[in-house]
Amino acid sequence: MSGRALVLGAAVGLALAAGATLLVLTSSHEDNKAATLALPAGLSFVASGLVAMWRRPQNRTGLLLAGVGYLWFLSALAESDDDWIFTVGIAVNSVVFGAFVHLLLAFPWGRLPGRRDVWLVVSSYALVLSGSLALLLVDESPDSGCATCRSTIAVGVDDTARTIVRGVVTVLALAFLITILVVVARRFLRSTGALRRALGPVLGSGILVMLVLALQVVVETFSEEAARPFGYVFLVAFALVPLTFLAGVLRSRLARAGSSDLLLELARGTPLRDALARVLRDPSLELAYWLPDADGYVTADGKPLPEETAGRHMTLVEHAGRPTAALLHDPMLSEERELVDALAAASGLWLDNERLQAKLRAQFEFLETTVNTAPSLLISLAPDGRIAHLNAASERASGYDDPEEIRGQYLWDVFISPEERARVEEAFRSRLAHAPGTYENTFVNRRGEELVIAWSTAPLRDQAGNVRYVICGGLDVTERKQRELELARERDFLRKVADTTPSLLVVVNDEAIVVGNSVNKGFAQTIGWSEQEMLGRSLLDLFRPADTYFARLGIASAFNGVEPAERVSHWRTRDGQERAIAWMATPIVDVTGAELVLVCGVDVTERERREADLRSSEERLRAAIQASPVAIVEYALDDRITRWNPAAEQIFGWSAEEVVGGFGKHQPPGRASELRELFRRVRAGEVYMGIESKRIRKDGATIDVEISAAPIRGAGGEVLSHMALFADITERKRQEDEVRASRARIVQAGDDARRRLERNLHDGAQQRLVALSLSLRLAQSKVVSDPEAAEQVLEAARDELAAALDELRELARGIHPAVLTDRGLAAAVEALTLRSPVPSTRGRQNVNVRVSRENGSALVQVADDGVGGADAAQGSGLRGLADRVESLAGTLAVESPAGGGTRVSAEIPLHDPPPA
Amino acid sequence: MPRTVVIVDDHPSFRASARAILEAEGFEIVGEAEDGQSGIAAARALRPDILLLDVQLPDMDGFAVCRQLDLNGNTPAIVFVSSRDVDDYGGLIQQSGACGFIPKAELSGGSLADLVA
């Protein structure tokens, strides 16, 4: 504010003061005592306001203070005797309080901080004005101290209305006062630090003033007399108020001297931030430095400014146009621009210094973090090899618990194995110290762990080129070495596996060229080409020309990620053979990451051969079954027929189409349980042969069959089906029956012959001999007494005997004619024909007998020219003859056409006589 | 007293021989039969003292004749004869109630008299 304005303001103030004094003195109704007390209050306000405006031009507090002062003097118009002026004075009197409230709420910035405050102030102005106007309207003599003073705008109202209006106004005023009190109190309680300190006295005095006023108003309604002392107190308090305002506004003036204090503090060694805080009386003050690299503010300990700056103001400090620093401080200090600037200038260099320090520390922090978190060992050595510094990784690797023990020791004593130490020391002294180098070493650290470190060193020279430090970097390659070892072992293992497997393995690229390290022993053994010989050759060369297309396709598909499928191809071996290989191509990736194809194959030549053999043997079996004269029927486990060979068709009559797939029609009814039992037995694994049974043919006839059956087993030994073989034995059975019957007949004939013989003996010769015996006895008994009779008896006995002999002879001939033995077949036949009777009743006249030997057989032919009609089957004689001929393996033929004679011929095979 | 005999046998030569030898010994042959039925008839009709009975007869065997005659009561003394051995007949001779058995070849008056005595 310019000096001239201030002087003018002062002049106006004085003028108003003078005017007010004059009014007071000339007033007929005013008590001089009170008036005199009122004056200083006004002067106090005006003076304080002017001072504030001079020292703090931006702060409107000053203006408000002065304003309150002017209004105060103007309210002296109420002292005038003139009613109009009086009325105006009363009205202005109230406005003073509105202005005062304004002043109070705007403190300390001179501006109302929020809308609410604005409304409060506006309503307070409105209230006081309307209140006083209301009072003026209703009350003719509003001032109790002046009975004669009249309100010019008063309207005539009755007492009740007046009382009501007064009451309402009073209540409103009270309410209003209380509201202001509450707002002010809250503001005080909510503020902290410097603001509180500033607000304290002001608000305190303000509150006090308002309380007093409130009391006065209250008491006044009861007793005007009693209220008077309150008025005096009010005036005193009111006069003091501006002083507190002034003090609050100018408070920093007292601290202005603090800039020299600051320098003193800094010199004493107090850190800048603390010194500033002390001088500005803001313990929460924080300093931040501008870092161009970081493009932001960083606190003294290198950390960036926190985002939260709630409740604090930031004042930027610039130096020569560039941002230097920032102060985070209490909002109150924003008023103290000059102070801050002065302090900033005073501490400019200090700030600069601290900024640089912050920068350096940030860089150092970064480096330190890098060095300490690096997994590599980082050691700085003095030029003689002693350890100066080492990072966390080095400390760990050393195995020492206390890193301090390491510092000062020689590098090789701590980190190099004993046997290498001398060499390393020598190398260091001669070479390493002067040129970068690398070296790998295995050592056992303090803790007993074995580590492998790959060292590299580089010298650090100063400006003169001398080596100041040697920086030693070490990479812990223990794990790597371990892994390398594991990998090598794995490779060896896989190599062994590849070489032991009988399968053949070969690795090719997408052109089917065999790539290195890529053919196993199995391949070499099967195909004959070794690794070296195969390298670089196309695998397709080994394939039969017809198969190369599919080989190419297989390999290409593998490259394209198609599911590998097994193929069987023929590969040529080194010695020109062809072998069947079942192979498959799968994509693989080698150690370099190249995409290749692994071809894996198995030699299936033997398998193919066996399969071919199996097929051909199956064919033979099938042919055998088809050609077999024996019916072969195969039954599945569900009893259905699955095979019916041509012999079965012939024996049973049904064709294969009629039977296969269905159930057997050839099984006779009534034998179901027998069949079930047979099926069960064969399915249980039994093989049976030669069981005789009966079956039916398609034409309904029953035939005799001989059955053999066996189960057919699968690979696991389980029964899959069974086969039954049927041989038609009807003819054989018939022949057997025939032979049996023939034998029976022969035996019977033999029995009959013997019976006849016995009978003949009994009835014939035996009787004669008996008679002979009796005759002899008779003769004996008579020989003495009657010799002639005896002689007759003996004669008769001789006849008897002769006859007996004849009979015996005859018998013997019947058994076995002696003539046959004595004179041979021809003579015997002749003798027989002479003896044989030829009954004439049959009409046989001539009989021709011929016995000859032809083709190794005896041929006997007897023919007559009788009536014929003989039937071998009917006549037992002829049948018995046939039996006897057949028992000699001969044949008898009888031809006896009716009326055509009878011819009987027998052909009997002759055997060579056994060797004697 | 001469005993009367009927000879039942299917062999005429034996009948003749037997007659001759028994008559020589004092027996009287009152009848002959050549089979069982005629033998039974003759035995009933002629009521001989002794019946010389062949076991082997054409129509029935001697035992059957014996049984038939048994039923009638008043049987003659039956003596079985046969050209077969006595062992062939086992216990049948005893069971039949006959007096005994003489092999044909050993027939004589003496052997017969011994049995019927």
Side-chain angles (χ1 to χ4, degrees):
Chain A
M1 203 128 203
S2 66
R4 235 189 279 175
L6 287 170
V7 169
L8 184 64
V12 168
L14 282 169
L16 283 172
T21 315
L22 201 68
L23 276 169
V24 166
L25 287 172
T26 57
S27 172
S28 57
H29 54 76
E30 192 50 68
D31 184 0
N32 290 349
K33 279 201 286 294
T36 41
L37 275 173
L39 254 171
L43 281 171
S44 167
F45 267 93
V46 171
S48 307
L50 289 171
V51 169
M53 280 197 287
W54 175 44
R55 293 316 304 177
R56 293 275 180 274
Q58 289 100 342
N59 202 335
R60 279 222 205 121
T61 308
L63 199 66
L64 283 168
L65 277 168
V68 168
Y70 293 144
L71 283 169
W72 182 259
F73 287 133
L74 281 176
S75 67
L77 291 170
E79 306 300 334
S80 167
D81 291 325
D82 181 61
D83 286 337
W84 273 106
I85 298 171
F86 166 75
T87 311
V88 169
I90 295 294
V92 170
N93 204 355
S94 62
V95 179
V96 170
F97 293 107
F100 180 73
V101 166
H102 188 172
L103 170 69
L104 195 62
L105 290 177
F107 187 76
W109 305 281
R111 281 179 176 69
L112 293 167
R115 289 195 81 160
R116 200 171 43 172
D117 301 288
V118 171
W119 274 111
L120 269 172
V121 166
V122 166
S123 20
S124 70
Y125 276 124
L127 182 64
V128 293
L129 253 178
S130 53
S132 65
L133 281 174
L135 282 172
L136 285 170
L137 277 171
V138 300
D139 202 347
E140 275 197 339
S141 62
D143 190 356
S144 54
C146 173
T148 53
C149 302
R150 290 266 175 276
S151 162
T152 47
I153 58 169
V155 297
V157 292
D158 57 3
D159 284 336
T160 16
R162 194 181 303 131
T163 322
I164 290 166
V165 169
R166 278 181 125 159
V168 166
V169 170
T170 313
V171 166
L172 277 176
L174 267 174
F176 194 71
L177 275 171
I178 290 163
T179 311
I180 300 293
L181 266 167
V182 166
V183 167
V184 164
R186 272 174 65 178
R187 186 179 295 177
F188 176 73
L189 288 169
R190 266 202 259 148
S191 67
T192 55
L195 186 60
R196 203 182 248 216
R197 276 199 298 279
L199 283 175
V202 164
L203 295 182
S205 61
I207 288 164
L208 185 65
V209 160
M210 284 190 293
L211 271 175
V212 170
L213 190 62
L215 278 171
Q216 186 189 15
V217 167
V218 165
V219 169
E220 218 171 38
T221 53
F222 300 110
S223 159
E224 287 197 22
E225 271 301 318
R228 212 179 284 273
F230 283 98
Y232 294 132
V233 172
F234 168 75
L235 287 172
V236 169
F238 198 64
L240 288 173
V241 162
L243 296 175
T244 59
F245 275 91
L246 194 61
V249 163
L250 297 182
R251 196 173 55 86
S252 62
R253 275 330 252 93
L254 302 168
R256 199 165 280 260
S259 56
S260 54
D261 284 341
L262 176 72
L263 288 171
L264 287 169
E265 285 279 343
L266 290 173
R268 232 179 279 145
T270 316
L272 179 61
R273 188 220 77 91
D274 294 342
L276 278 170
R278 200 169 296 171
V279 166
L280 289 171
R281 295 214 189 96
D282 181 4
S284 69
L285 183 124
E286 221 175 295
L287 262 181
Y289 308 93
W290 172 260
L291 281 188
D293 337 324
D295 199 40
Y297 291 92
V298 175
T299 57
D301 45 6
K303 304 220 169 38
L305 209 57
E307 294 293 329
E308 284 287 298
T309 54
R312 298 205 287 176
H313 279 201
M314 188 159 87
T315 302
L316 299 177
V317 176
E318 287 186 8
H319 194 63
R322 276 178 283 109
T324 315
L327 299 175
L328 277 185
H329 59 80
D330 197 289
M332 272 296 292
L333 293 175
S334 297
E335 296 300 307
E336 316 289 335
R337 186 83 289 151
E338 282 176 30
L339 174 62
V340 170
D341 286 348
L343 292 177
S347 56
L349 285 169
W350 229 273
L351 280 173
D352 224 25
N353 185 29
E354 289 221 8
R355 189 173 61 76
L356 277 169
Q357 277 202 27
K359 188 170 172 182
L360 273 174
R361 230 169 276 131
Q363 280 178 344
F364 184 74
E365 271 259 321
F366 173 72
L367 278 172
E368 197 177 43
T369 313
T370 308
V371 162
N372 267 329
T373 54
S376 337
L377 284 62
L378 282 169
I379 305 168
S380 66
L381 305 172
D384 65 353
R386 282 189 209 269
I387 295 172
H389 306 286
L390 68 170
N391 72 343
S394 311
E395 289 171 15
R396 273 196 303 274
S398 72
Y400 279 74
D401 297 316
D402 182 9
E404 290 308 312
E405 291 181 46
I406 308 175
R407 264 186 259 273
Q409 284 199 53
Y410 287 103
L411 172 76
W412 39 85
D413 285 336
V414 179
F415 287 104
I416 303 291
S417 50
E419 57 271 17
E420 297 284 309
R421 273 180 206 156
R423 206 166 74 74
V424 167
E425 185 181 344
E426 217 236 280
F428 185 84
R429 297 210 191 289
S430 65
R431 210 185 63 233
L432 286 183
H434 303 293
T438 57
Y439 168 71
E440 201 176 281
N441 173 258
T442 307
F443 81 105
V444 178
N445 74 2
R446 205 64 176 319
R447 260 195 299 269
E449 302 159 340
E450 190 178 89
L451 301 170
V452 182
I453 312 286
W455 297 101
S456 52
T457 57
L460 208 57
R461 294 176 197 278
D462 66 7
Q463 282 161 325
N466 302 318
V467 175
R468 282 272 294 147
Y469 285 108
V470 176
I471 304 296
C472 217
L475 208 56
D476 186 345
V477 296
T478 321
E479 263 192 52
R480 193 189 76 191
K481 281 258 173 282
Q482 189 68 26
R483 270 197 289 277
E484 279 173 8
L485 191 64
E486 280 173 11
L487 269 174
R489 283 205 202 109
E490 214 176 283
R491 247 203 316 276
D492 288 339
F493 173 74
L494 286 173
R495 184 87 223 179
K496 218 176 216 81
V497 167
D499 274 341
T500 320
T501 178
S503 308
L504 48 87
L505 300 169
V506 50
V507 178
V508 298
N509 65 9
D510 56 343
E511 310 259 306
I513 305 292
V514 176
V515 295
N517 226 10
S518 56
V519 158
N520 73 335
K521 277 217 183 69
F523 184 97
Q525 277 167 4
T526 309
I527 303 298
W529 298 105
S530 71
E531 244 185 82
Q532 292 87 337
E533 288 166 330
M534 279 307 296
L535 198 54
R537 281 178 60 186
S538 170
L539 186 66
L540 300 173
D541 289 345
L542 297 176
F543 282 80
R544 207 193 255 171
D547 290 345
T548 46
Y549 169 73
F550 286 109
R552 217 188 287 271
L553 188 66
I555 291 171
S557 304
F559 259 103
N560 294 330
V562 171
E563 263 303 305
E566 196 182 82
R567 288 201 68 85
V568 176
S569 303
H570 289 89
W571 296 22
R572 270 195 299 273
T573 64
R574 190 187 194 150
D575 51 6
Q577 275 184 42
E578 264 199 5
R579 298 199 78 79
I581 308 284
W583 64 276
M584 200 159 86
T586 33
I588 57 164
V589 175
D590 78 352
V591 290
T592 65
E595 289 184 352
L596 301 170
V597 167
L598 173 70
V599 173
C600 175
V602 176
D603 188 347
V604 296
T605 320
E606 279 312 308
R607 191 185 81 190
E608 282 200 345
R609 192 171 304 153
R610 273 197 294 274
E611 281 174 4
D613 286 345
L614 187 64
R615 270 195 299 279
S616 75
S617 78
E618 272 180 13
E619 271 312 304
R620 282 200 291 276
L621 179 65
R622 200 192 318 279
I625 288 175
Q626 292 297 102
S628 166
V630 171
I632 299 178
V633 180
E634 188 173 354
Y635 298 88
L637 291 172
D638 62 358
D639 296 352
R640 284 180 197 271
I641 291 175
T642 54
R643 197 199 292 268
W644 186 266
N645 75 338
E649 289 182 343
Q650 212 220 355
I651 286 174
F652 294 111
W654 289 281
S655 70
E657 289 82 28
E658 291 173 298
V659 162
V660 169
F663 296 102
K665 303 187 227 250
H666 57 295
Q667 286 135 352
R671 285 182 176 242
S673 56
E674 173 198 323
L675 284 168
R676 254 203 307 283
E677 179 59 19
L678 286 175
F679 275 40
R680 189 197 63 75
R681 280 165 59 190
V682 75
R683 283 179 187 144
E686 210 177 302
V687 172
Y688 56 85
M689 307 183 52
I691 296 196
E692 287 186 13
S693 185
K694 293 198 187 301
R695 291 288 183 271
I696 341 180
R697 291 171 53 91
K698 184 176 183 179
D699 57 13
T702 306
I703 52 169
D704 293 296
V705 290
E706 189 180 76
I707 312 175
S708 301
I712 308 283
R713 292 187 189 275
E718 74 282 12
V719 173
L720 300 175
S721 62
H722 78 272
M723 278 223 257
L725 280 66
F726 298 88
D728 188 347
I729 54 170
T730 318
E731 185 54 34
R732 192 185 83 194
K733 278 205 98 53
R734 194 193 60 73
Q735 283 177 353
E736 278 174 5
D737 288 341
E738 183 55 45
V739 165
R740 215 174 293 122
S742 167
R743 277 212 200 102
R745 283 197 296 272
I746 289 173
V747 165
Q748 187 69 34
D751 285 345
D752 289 346
R754 271 193 292 281
R755 240 191 302 279
R756 266 198 310 279
L757 188 64
E758 196 271 343
R759 182 122 297 249
N760 283 338
L761 275 171
H762 180 267
D763 292 349
Q766 202 171 16
Q767 297 299 327
R768 288 198 204 281
L769 287 170
V770 162
L772 189 63
S773 166
L774 290 173
S775 297
L776 284 173
R777 187 159 308 147
L778 188 63
Q780 191 183 20
S781 69
K782 284 193 171 359
V783 75
V784 171
S785 59
D786 190 351
E788 276 184 22
E791 202 183 328
Q792 279 173 351
V793 169
L794 285 169
E795 276 278 342
R798 265 182 60 220
D799 291 337
E800 206 57 46
L801 184 62
L805 286 170
D806 279 342
E807 283 206 20
L808 283 171
R809 220 173 285 129
E810 212 44 52
L811 271 170
R813 214 178 273 125
I815 294 168
H816 188 85
V819 63
L820 182 62
T821 313
D822 297 342
R823 293 192 9 230
L825 183 63
V829 171
E830 237 180 87
L832 184 60
T833 52
L834 285 169
R835 294 170 62 78
S836 294
V838 183
S840 61
T841 51
R842 283 286 196 150
R844 295 192 188 101
Q845 307 296 6
N846 294 309
V847 182
N848 206 316
V849 179
R850 186 168 173 264
V851 179
S852 59
R853 182 193 181 117
E854 281 171 39
N855 298 329
S857 300
L859 205 58
V860 180
Q861 292 162 313
V862 179
D864 73 28
D865 56 2
V867 296
D871 187 356
Q874 302 294 356
S876 67
L878 279 173
R879 200 171 69 198
L881 201 57
D883 288 342
R884 295 203 333 258
V885 166
E886 278 165 14
S887 75
L888 294 168
T891 50
L892 184 76
V894 175
E895 286 172 49
S896 186
T902 305
R903 268 172 300 286
V904 178
S905 54
E907 189 178 333
I908 301 166
L910 295 168
H911 304 288
D912 289 330
Chain B
M1 167 182 178
R3 271 160 276 176
T4 55
V5 181
V6 167
I7 303 173
V8 182
D9 193 294
D10 60 336
H11 287 106
S13 56
F14 176 72
R15 287 200 300 273
S17 306
R19 178 188 284 267
I21 204 151
L22 287 174
E23 281 176 344
E25 303 259 349
F27 287 91
E28 188 184 338
I29 310 302
V30 296
E32 288 178 25
E34 55 180 14
D35 60 41
Q37 286 297 110
S38 48
I40 292 167
R44 290 193 191 135
L46 301 170
R47 312 271 267 237
D49 300 318
I50 300 166
L51 195 67
L52 204 66
L53 190 52
D54 183 13
V55 179
Q56 309 282 1
L57 289 168
D59 53 351
M60 55 171 75
D61 66 30
F63 299 111
V65 172
C66 198
R67 279 195 295 278
Q68 292 268 9
L69 291 174
D70 249 339
L71 295 172
N72 283 350
N74 209 5
T75 52
I78 297 174
V79 175
F80 282 109
V81 290
S82 178
S83 38
R84 299 230 164 95
D85 202 66
V86 68
D87 294 334
D88 288 356
Y89 299 116
L92 288 167
I93 309 284
Q94 281 89 331
Q95 286 168 19
S96 65
C99 296
F101 175 86
I102 302 175
K104 279 190 187 172
E106 289 168 28
L107 180 66
S108 69
S111 58
L112 189 64
D114 286 337
L115 278 179
V116 299

